[in-house]
Amino acid sequence: MIEQVGNMMGSISGGGGIPPNDTIYLCNFRVSVDGEWLCLKELQELGDFSNNFPPTPELEKITFYPNYPVGPRERDPILIERSNLVNISKLVVKEVIDSSMKFGRQLDSDHIPLQHFFIVLEHVLRHGIKPKKGLLGPKKELWDLLQKVEVLDSEAQDITASVRDLPTVRTNIGRARAWLRLALMQKKLADYFRLLVGQSDLLAEYYEAPALLRSDEANLINALLVSLNVVDCNLCVKEEDLDSQQGVIDFSLYLRSKREIGDEESSGSGSSLAGSTAAVNRDENMTTVLDQKNYIEELNRHLNATVTSLQEKVESLSTENALIKEDLTLSRDAVEKCQIENKRLKAELDRYRNIDRLAEEEIPQSVKEKRVSVVQSSYESGMKELSTEFRVRLQQEICRREEAEQMLEKQDTLKKEMDINVKNLEEEVQEKQEVIDSLKGQLEDIKCINLEMYTKLAECEYEISQKGELVAKLEAKTKEISTMLTNLNNVSSKCDKC
């Protein structure tokens, strides 16, 4: 009964979800929501009113369709399809989270609830997308919309580039499916979905007005995607055939009949006392483990951000250090040139003095006496001019040398400060790396503890089930013994009468 309804609902493209406290009717069954389950109930159980009363439309509505909407807006097929997508998304996301917490491991591509999630998510993103207008008009593709995310967030560039380079994916819809899987593995799918929902102009370009992404239900889908951050996924995108048509959803996983509800209530009443304490302890342990996991992930993101900022600072300081070294070499070259020019000028001055001394020695005494006044006056005037010129140039060279030495001292101090800062930054980076390694080790220990807890819980449940079977057998034996005793009493009473 459930399989037939599941197959019928699996063929519906918009999913099979229904609003809470609402009812839809399939063939001879009524499907309603009970918490997170879809329940089936045969219409004959409602009472055979059609045999006692004439089949009027008012009686049929009151009897079989008490909660069915009658307004034109409530019966809009687009709104109903949108509501179905939201409700089936709730069921599929809850099943993914429950299965991940139950098995305590990473989900891979073969996990059936995860496959259902990607099918539903694809329907959500393609709901209300604008069709192609005319023969030459552009066709709106989901892959074109997902490529716009890298403009809104630079971290999405790596995902988009990886999808473009995949050799096994050749179609746009296959690239979109690969993009969604990579975003879920990086736990960024909710953030990217929130960015898309916030771009109303971009959504108006790709979607019709009543589309799901342009409605208020998009925020609910975003909340469901945020809850998937507690799930770890390990998906091999290269080995999947993403270009082909995806499968349909098996609604038998999310449907249950009235008989199954009664069986669960009867079986649950017997083992509620034994399993309540174990369930409470398991929930508490899981909440603590999940809180620690989320804290470690946030701390790891913060440390990665600080490491990147420190690396940028180190790169900027290294560039500044290289510029300072270049300035230092240029100033040293200028100082060396000034020293060489100073030596050359001193050598010329000594040469001129030697020439004057030799000229005075070669001139006769008589000529010296006659020309002593003229030569002495001209010599003194020439020497004064030369000395003043040399003094001015020497003073300029001394000033330049002092300035160059001051610049050199400043550059040396800056270089020392840069070396100290670089050492401090390297030490901080090393400390952060050690903290990250220790946190990774703690996370591995927590995972091991969680796995041990799950194994112990499974063993306890197995023992409880065995004890329950023994109790059932003992009860059956006691019933047999009681029947035997009653028979013996009856036989003995008959014998006494005889």
Side-chain angles (χ1 to χ4, degrees):
M1 178 172 58
I2 298 174
E3 293 178 355
Q4 294 176 357
V5 179
N7 294 327
M8 291 173 63
M9 297 179 69
S11 63
I12 301 172
S13 63
I18 54 177
N21 298 326
D22 241 1
T23 304
I24 63 173
Y25 293 87
L26 299 174
C27 298
N28 292 325
F29 302 98
R30 188 182 73 178
V31 185
S32 60
V33 172
D34 182 11
E36 66 271 7
W37 286 89
L38 297 177
C39 302
L40 296 179
K41 189 174 183 181
E42 292 186 4
L43 297 181
Q44 295 177 358
E45 297 178 1
L46 296 175
D48 196 4
F49 290 99
S50 61
N51 296 327
N52 298 327
F53 299 96
T56 61
E58 291 79 5
L59 181 60
E60 184 180 2
K61 177 183 181 302
I62 294 171
T63 304
F64 299 107
Y65 308 98
N67 297 322
Y68 191 75
V70 295
R73 185 179 182 278
E74 288 81 359
R75 297 180 66 179
D76 188 2
I78 296 177
L79 297 178
I80 295 173
E81 183 180 0
R82 195 167 69 193
S83 177
N84 291 341
L85 285 174
V86 173
N87 286 286
I88 195 63
S89 299
K90 292 179 184 178
L91 295 176
V92 172
V93 170
K94 186 180 185 301
E95 183 65 23
V96 171
I97 296 173
D98 291 342
S99 61
S100 176
M101 295 173 66
K102 181 178 179 181
F103 297 109
R105 59 180 176 82
Q106 289 183 344
L107 303 181
D108 52 7
S109 302
D110 298 331
H111 192 63
I112 295 175
L114 191 61
Q115 294 177 0
H116 292 172
F117 166 72
F118 285 119
I119 295 171
V120 173
L121 182 60
E122 183 179 344
H123 282 292
V124 168
L125 293 174
R126 296 178 65 179
H127 180 264
I129 198 166
K130 290 183 178 180
K132 184 178 179 181
K133 294 182 179 180
L135 296 175
L136 301 178
K139 185 179 180 181
K140 302 298 182 181
E141 293 283 350
L142 181 59
W143 169 239
D144 298 331
L145 178 63
L146 296 178
Q147 289 183 98
K148 302 290 184 181
V149 179
E150 63 180 356
V151 180
L152 304 175
D153 192 350
S154 59
E155 294 182 359
Q157 294 178 358
D158 297 334
I159 298 176
T160 309
S162 300
V163 172
R164 290 195 189 101
D165 296 336
L166 284 176
T168 57
V169 180
R170 296 180 179 85
T171 61
N172 290 331
I173 189 64
R175 294 186 182 94
R177 291 165 182 166
W179 193 92
L180 294 174
R181 282 158 173 78
L182 291 177
L184 182 63
M185 282 195 292
Q186 293 185 3
K187 297 184 179 181
K188 290 286 187 179
L189 184 58
D191 298 335
Y192 298 153
F193 188 84
R194 178 175 53 80
L195 290 175
L196 284 177
V197 171
Q199 301 294 322
S200 58
D201 296 335
L202 183 61
L203 294 178
E205 182 182 354
Y206 282 86
Y207 291 95
E208 301 288 347
L212 179 57
L213 265 68
R214 297 183 64 183
S215 63
D216 295 334
E217 285 87 348
N219 297 321
L220 183 58
I221 299 295
N222 188 19
L224 294 174
L225 295 179
V226 171
S227 64
L228 288 176
N229 289 334
V230 300
V231 179
D232 295 330
C233 298
N234 186 12
L235 306 175
C236 187
V237 182
K238 293 182 179 179
E239 295 181 358
E240 293 187 43
D241 187 11
L242 300 176
D243 293 330
S244 62
Q245 181 68 27
Q246 298 294 310
V248 296
I249 299 175
D250 186 8
F251 284 97
S252 62
L253 297 175
Y254 312 104
L255 294 173
R256 62 175 183 176
S257 63
K258 185 178 179 181
R259 185 182 298 171
E260 292 177 353
I261 296 171
D263 295 339
E264 288 182 359
E265 290 179 355
S266 61
S267 63
S269 62
S271 62
S272 60
L273 295 175
S276 60
T277 57
V280 170
N281 294 326
R282 183 181 64 182
D283 293 336
E284 291 178 355
N285 293 326
M286 284 303 299
T287 52
T288 55
V289 169
L290 290 175
D291 292 336
Q292 291 177 357
K293 179 184 176 183
N294 293 327
Y295 172 72
I296 290 169
E297 288 180 353
E298 292 295 332
L299 186 60
N300 192 8
R301 290 180 183 176
H302 179 67
L303 291 174
N304 288 327
T306 53
V307 167
T308 53
S309 63
L310 290 174
Q311 288 178 354
E312 291 176 356
K313 288 182 180 179
V314 168
E315 290 177 357
S316 62
L317 290 174
S318 62
T319 53
E320 290 179 359
N321 192 8
L323 294 174
I324 290 170
K325 286 181 179 179
E326 291 179 358
D327 295 335
L328 182 61
T329 53
L330 293 174
S331 61
R332 284 179 179 175
D333 293 335
V335 169
E336 289 178 356
K337 289 180 181 179
C338 292
Q339 289 178 355
I340 293 169
E341 185 69 21
N342 193 4
K343 289 179 181 180
R344 187 179 63 78
L345 293 174
K346 286 181 179 180
E348 288 181 358
L349 182 59
D350 294 333
R351 185 169 60 80
Y352 286 138
R353 286 178 179 177
N354 292 326
I355 291 170
D356 292 336
R357 192 181 297 112
L358 292 173
E360 289 178 357
E361 291 177 356
E362 291 177 357
I363 296 171
Q365 191 67 26
S366 61
V367 178
K368 287 181 180 179
E369 291 177 356
K370 291 179 181 179
R371 299 175 57 186
V372 65
S373 60
V374 178
V375 172
Q376 189 174 0
S377 61
S378 62
Y379 178 74
E380 289 177 357
S381 62
M383 287 300 292
K384 287 179 180 180
E385 292 176 358
L386 289 172
S387 62
T388 53
E389 184 179 356
F390 284 129
R391 284 176 184 174
V392 170
R393 294 181 67 180
L394 183 60
Q395 190 67 29
Q396 291 177 355
E397 295 296 332
I398 290 169
C399 293
R400 290 178 183 175
R401 184 175 181 180
E402 290 177 354
E403 292 176 355
E405 289 177 353
Q406 291 176 359
M407 289 290 292
L408 184 61
E409 290 177 357
K410 290 180 180 179
Q411 290 171 358
D412 290 334
T413 54
L414 289 173
K415 184 179 179 182
K416 291 178 181 179
E417 292 177 356
M418 291 287 291
D419 293 334
I420 293 169
N421 291 326
V422 169
K423 289 180 181 179
N424 293 329
L425 291 174
E426 289 177 353
E427 292 176 355
E428 290 180 358
V429 170
Q430 188 66 28
E431 291 177 357
K432 299 293 184 182
Q433 189 66 33
E434 292 176 356
V435 172
I436 291 170
D437 295 334
S438 64
L439 289 174
K440 287 182 179 178
Q442 292 177 3
L443 182 60
E444 293 294 332
D445 296 336
I446 290 169
K447 288 183 178 179
C448 294
I449 292 168
N450 191 8
L451 184 60
E452 292 177 359
M453 290 171 61
Y454 274 118
T455 54
K456 289 180 181 179
L457 182 61
E459 291 176 358
C460 292
E461 290 178 352
Y462 180 70
E463 291 178 357
I464 289 168
S465 64
Q466 287 183 347
K467 289 180 180 178
E469 292 177 357
L470 290 174
V471 168
K473 291 179 181 179
L474 291 173
E475 288 178 353
K477 288 182 180 179
T478 54
K479 288 181 180 179
E480 291 176 358
I481 292 169
S482 63
T483 53
M484 291 173 66
L485 289 173
T486 55
N487 293 326
L488 289 172
N489 290 325
N490 293 325
V491 170
S492 62
S493 62
K494 289 180 180 179
C495 292
D496 291 338
K497 290 179 180 179
C498 293

